Amino acid sequence: MNERTVIALGGNAISPAGTAGTAEEQTTNLHRAMAQVAELVAEGHTQLVLTHGNGPQVGNVLIKNELAKDVVPPVPLDWCVAQTQATIGFTVANTLSYELRRLGVERPVVPVVSRVLVSRRDPGFETPSKPIGPYLTDAEEVARRRAAGQALVEIPDRGWRRVVPSPKPLASVDRPAIELLLSDGAIVIANGGGGIPVVDDGDGPLHGIEAVIDKDLAGALLAQELGARTFAILTDVPGVAVGYGTDAERWLEEVHIGELRGYEAAGEFAAGSMGPKVAAICNFVEGSGGRGMIASLEDALEALHGTVGTRVSRDGGP
Ligand code: ADP
Ligand code: MG
């Protein structure tokens, strides 16, 4: 099997809400998922790219910045994203290398510190929309953060969360390096946390800009740029539901893109969580004709075999 596959790992699935999110916890969660990804590789998936979210992790880096601002200079948000690419990239590479070796598979796993181009004029800079960091339940803290100029949104039943600008990803800057690594047999980790957002002002170097790109949209873009056959988003729920959280909740299995777009238009998918996943999968499937899926990180292998989760197709109905 020489097909390219792009797998997006959810930041919340790596560091679930309600857990402390220690390095040990995140590493344990990744071991479980990477054991399944390693099996997939052992089955013959030769060209594999992993990307990952960083919502909880980048929020924590920002909190450290805030708390330490009188001791060490705070760094911009694009640097925070780069930091999460390094720590999550390291952990994914380390856990996957181990799980591959256990199966007797020798393959280099290479995390790429990767940039994604955005536009300075993107409307996302006017209206912050990307939730990051912990869920906040203390009303006083919410008020204090608002007074300090932060944007926060209320997420039903879970609390408040800080939101930051999330411009649309336009191009994966490091795609040539990713192609090179793939063609030489490496498993590549790229565009983590949506990629480090950069703008091209035409004055020489690219410039980092303060934002967090949605990792599902950046993953779908990369999957299309690489001509991937499969794009899988692995998260902390079993797939896509209509009537999510209501008595009429129904989990979608095989679904045609037109049907999914219909539910999207009817407002079934929350902004900042399932909304961008559905948009990303639809972009990918529409643009490439490939296979798109959304499933639980816990079911990674079965999901990639197409037996669980929500599977989205373009041609022919379900
Ligand atoms: P990740 O870190 O994987 O990107 P998110 O929290 O951004 O995770 O998105 C997954 C969350 O989307 C789920 O935990 C669930 O609460 C939420 N969600 C919102 N609408 C839906 C829906 N219609 N179907 C399934 N999950 C939904
Ligand atoms: Mg998300």
Side-chain angles (χ1 to χ4, degrees):
M1 216 185 308
N2 199 4
E3 294 180 344
R4 287 185 172 172
T5 297
V6 175
I7 303 177
L9 312 166
N12 290 292
I14 300 169
S15 184
T19 65
T22 63
E24 286 84 355
E25 283 169 347
Q26 297 193 48
T27 305
T28 303
N29 292 335
L30 278 173
H31 262 297
R32 235 179 276 134
M34 289 310 114
Q36 301 184 51
V37 171
E39 272 190 60
L40 194 77
V41 175
E43 284 172 6
H45 258 274
T46 51
Q47 300 220 340
L48 180 63
V49 175
L50 299 172
T51 188
H52 59 81
N54 71 348
Q57 295 85 354
V58 77
N60 289 351
V61 175
L62 271 181
I63 289 173
K64 286 184 205 164
N65 258 305
E66 285 169 18
L67 291 175
K69 69 180 188 310
D70 299 326
V71 187
V72 284
V75 298
L77 190 46
D78 44 294
W79 277 43
C80 298
V81 174
Q83 289 177 15
T84 65
Q85 283 191 351
T87 51
I88 302 172
F90 153 65
T91 312
V92 172
N94 204 40
T95 52
L96 181 56
S97 300
Y98 170 75
E99 299 296 345
L100 285 169
R101 266 201 320 278
R102 265 165 38 112
L103 297 179
V105 179
E106 278 301 332
R107 290 281 296 278
V109 184
V110 186
V112 177
V113 175
S114 29
R115 299 159 289 173
V116 168
L117 192 70
V118 301
S119 165
R120 214 179 257 292
R121 288 179 299 282
D122 191 291
F125 286 105
E126 306 289 316
T127 327
S129 63
K130 168 82 186 162
I132 59 167
Y135 288 87
L136 307 170
T137 46
D138 176 359
E140 269 176 35
E141 181 170 5
V142 171
R144 188 181 58 71
R145 286 178 174 275
R146 283 238 158 99
Q150 295 184 7
L152 291 113
V153 289
E154 189 172 10
I155 297 171
D157 301 328
R158 294 176 91 166
W160 295 80
R161 225 170 157 201
R162 182 169 175 195
V163 283
V164 295
S166 193
K168 186 174 148 223
L170 301 177
S172 302
V173 177
D174 295 288
R175 172 185 171 184
I178 298 164
E179 290 274 8
L180 213 61
L181 289 162
L182 281 178
S183 60
D184 248 356
I187 294 168
V188 181
I189 303 159
N191 284 11
I196 303 164
V198 293
V199 292
D200 185 357
D201 290 334
D203 60 349
L206 300 174
H207 300 285
I209 189 160
E210 297 220 52
V212 177
I213 301 168
D214 184 86
K215 72 100 184 21
D216 298 310
L217 296 178
L221 174 71
L222 184 59
Q224 267 184 273
E225 290 170 330
L226 296 176
R229 163 100 182 93
T230 303
F231 175 47
I233 298 178
L234 302 179
T235 183
D236 60 359
V237 282
V240 183
V242 288
Y244 178 69
T246 69
D247 289 344
E249 180 177 276
R250 181 169 62 86
W251 294 90
L252 303 173
E253 293 176 10
E254 301 276 346
V255 59
H256 188 259
I257 190 124
E259 189 185 342
L260 195 58
R261 284 282 194 206
Y263 297 135
E264 186 184 35
E268 287 283 350
F269 313 124
S273 60
M274 193 47 74
K277 290 186 207 314
V278 169
I281 284 289
C282 288
N283 290 350
F284 171 75
V285 173
E286 258 165 16
S288 71
R291 304 191 303 158
M293 51 197 73
I294 300 177
S296 168
L297 187 69
E298 286 178 10
D299 304 330
L301 188 60
E302 280 179 278
L304 285 149
H305 285 155
T307 53
V308 303
T310 301
R311 284 90 74 192
V312 186
S313 63
R314 184 180 68 176
D315 305 312

